[in-house]
Amino acid sequence: MPQRPYVIDQLISAKSIAARIEDLAREIAAEFAGTDKLVVVGLLRGSFVFIADLVRELDLPVEVDFLEASSYGDAMVSSREVRILKDLRAAIEGRDVLLVEDIVDTGHTLSQVTKYLQGRKPARLRTIALLDKPSRREVDFKADWIGFSIPDEFVVGYGIDFAQRNRNLPFIGKVRFTEA
Ligand code: IMP
Ligand code: MG
């Protein structure tokens, strides 16, 4: 697919992300204190950098698992129908689960994935998203923890892609097209 030329303007620095994750990890460890059962579930692929940094700040015994749900494809539009493309390996019935997502945008992905996981009867299911775009919400969904609330901009970096590119940027940037 031919791509219009664009540049990436930094929105959130690597340093700010690291500092925020330290705070979030402290809050999460307090919430799950005493549990020996926490399964941290990353939603592929956008959360892979975030979950890697988050679990290394978490002072708790954790297991890590991944789930893949269908997403936008390579377009900057949202699809409402969310399908499970890769399921969990772990059995989560009776266990504490932390679902880790990159961005809450329209809310469809997390509202449907959390319903799906609730069907497996976890003891406790909590959600965390690095970024939140509240102005884009189409269904009512609120994550238990949010790293940063951002305006309606298309962002990349720190695991998040635009047409599969830019996941390896260490910061969060916004895409700005340079031609009309
Ligand atoms: P939702 O179902 O609309 O809440 O969409 C959530 C998913 O859309 C996220 O997990 C991202 O994969 C993707 N997404 C939303 N906004 C952006 C963005 O600005 N850049 C890249 N992906 C995005
Ligand atoms: Mg995603």
Side-chain angles (χ1 to χ4, degrees):
M1 183 173 70
Q3 198 72 74
R4 288 161 62 201
Y6 64 91
V7 294
I8 295 165
D9 301 321
Q10 180 173 293
L11 191 63
I12 307 170
S13 70
K15 216 175 146 187
S16 309
I17 297 169
R20 183 72 185 117
I21 288 176
E22 278 184 31
D23 292 344
L24 291 166
R26 232 175 281 123
E27 291 177 25
I28 291 164
E31 164 87 12
F32 289 105
T35 184
D36 58 353
K37 293 180 176 177
L38 185 65
V39 189
V40 183
V41 174
L43 261 182
L44 291 171
R45 279 166 278 174
S47 72
F48 82 104
V49 177
F50 181 38
I51 191 174
D53 282 347
L54 183 65
V55 294
R56 283 180 291 176
E57 289 296 329
L58 266 185
D59 193 10
L60 282 179
V62 297
E63 275 180 37
V64 175
D65 203 347
F66 293 95
L67 190 69
E68 185 172 9
S70 57
S71 67
Y72 290 19
D74 287 346
M76 293 199 297
V77 291
S78 176
S79 71
R80 276 135 241 272
E81 183 77 13
V82 176
R83 287 174 305 121
I84 302 299
L85 301 179
K86 182 208 166 291
D87 209 339
L88 292 178
R89 296 286 291 272
I92 58 167
E93 185 171 346
R95 305 189 66 181
D96 288 330
V97 177
L98 177 66
L99 179 62
V100 181
E101 171 64 314
D102 54 0
I103 308 177
V104 195
D105 188 42
T106 63
H108 289 287
T109 303
L110 276 186
S111 69
Q112 292 182 44
V113 170
T114 51
K115 271 187 203 121
Y116 174 76
L117 292 179
Q118 289 290 10
R120 301 273 179 92
K121 308 258 185 295
R124 205 165 15 164
L125 174 64
R126 296 285 182 271
T127 54
I128 179 169
L130 179 65
L131 303 175
D132 187 16
K133 297 187 202 172
S135 66
R136 296 258 311 159
R137 207 69 95 248
E138 290 174 10
V139 289
D140 191 27
F141 183 86
K142 210 167 170 297
D144 297 292
W145 293 279
I146 287 293
F148 302 89
S149 195
I150 61 169
D152 181 10
E153 301 276 4
F154 198 83
V155 294
V156 293
Y158 199 74
I160 300 163
D161 73 300
F162 175 32
Q164 299 308 323
R165 301 286 186 94
N166 307 119
R167 291 191 197 272
N168 56 325
L169 292 175
F171 58 88
I172 301 283
K174 55 184 179 184
V175 169
R176 178 163 54 87
F177 292 101
T178 50
E179 273 173 21

